[in-house]
Amino acid sequence: MKPTELYILNQPQKYRDILLHIIAVVEHTLPEVTLEYKWGIPYFYYNKKPFCYLNASHKHQFVDVGFARGFKLKNYQEHLIADNGRNTIKSLRYHSLDKIDNEVLVEVIKEAKHLY
């Protein structure tokens, strides 16, 4: 089994459901991406460059979808989070599956694609 699959399968149900949903949306929206395992987390690559990562934070109880060039994104700023210490990444955070706004997720993916 691949490390990415193990990462997802070893998550508690809440995080696993969110991760699987996000993966399906990303792959449907941008079929050219590849899902790899980098820095201990699943990381999507687009045109062989880091695109966005998925991180289940059990401590803070959310799944982070961090966009590698997130600070260049213009739309949906009210949904994007920039933590202290991150100088290029902005992320969408989901605390539960029912809080995922697919429209926002898809539009952010599409905008991020144009940064490559």
Side-chain angles (χ1 to χ4, degrees), residues 63-103:
V63 172
D64 206 28
V65 184
F67 290 87
R69 297 181 181 177
F71 272 85
K72 294 181 179 182
L73 296 170
K74 304 289 185 215
N75 300 317
Y76 296 101
Q77 287 299 306
E78 67 277 14
H79 296 278
L80 291 163
I81 297 167
D83 280 342
N84 294 335
R86 297 199 294 184
N87 56 6
T88 59
I89 294 173
K90 281 194 176 183
S91 61
L92 297 170
R93 289 200 176 142
Y94 301 110
H95 294 274
S96 65
L97 185 60
D98 64 334
K99 297 294 182 191
I100 297 175
D101 184 332
N102 285 328
E103 182 179 330

Side-chain angles (χ1 to χ4, degrees), residues 16-30:
R16 186 171 48 241
D17 290 346
I18 295 170
L19 289 165
L20 290 171
H21 180 84
I22 293 168
I23 289 168
V25 171
V26 172
E27 290 177 342
H28 178 73
T29 306
L30 197 58

Side-chain angles (χ1 to χ4, degrees), residues 8-72:
I8 295 164
L9 292 175
N10 287 331
Q11 297 298 322
Q13 186 71 41
K14 169 185 172 178
Y15 303 108
R16 186 171 48 241
D17 290 346
I18 295 170
L19 289 165
L20 290 171
H21 180 84
I22 293 168
I23 289 168
V25 171
V26 172
E27 290 177 342
H28 178 73
T29 306
L30 197 58
E32 311 91 281
V33 294
T34 59
L35 184 57
E36 301 183 23
Y37 191 74
K38 301 286 184 175
W39 303 289
I41 56 175
Y43 217 118
F44 281 106
Y45 275 66
Y46 178 67
N47 288 338
K48 299 183 181 181
K49 296 178 182 149
F51 182 72
C52 73
Y53 67 79
L54 308 175
N55 183 38
S57 174
H58 298 193
K59 179 179 178 182
H60 299 291
Q61 299 184 355
F62 61 74
V63 172
D64 206 28
V65 184
F67 290 87
R69 297 181 181 177
F71 272 85
K72 294 181 179 182

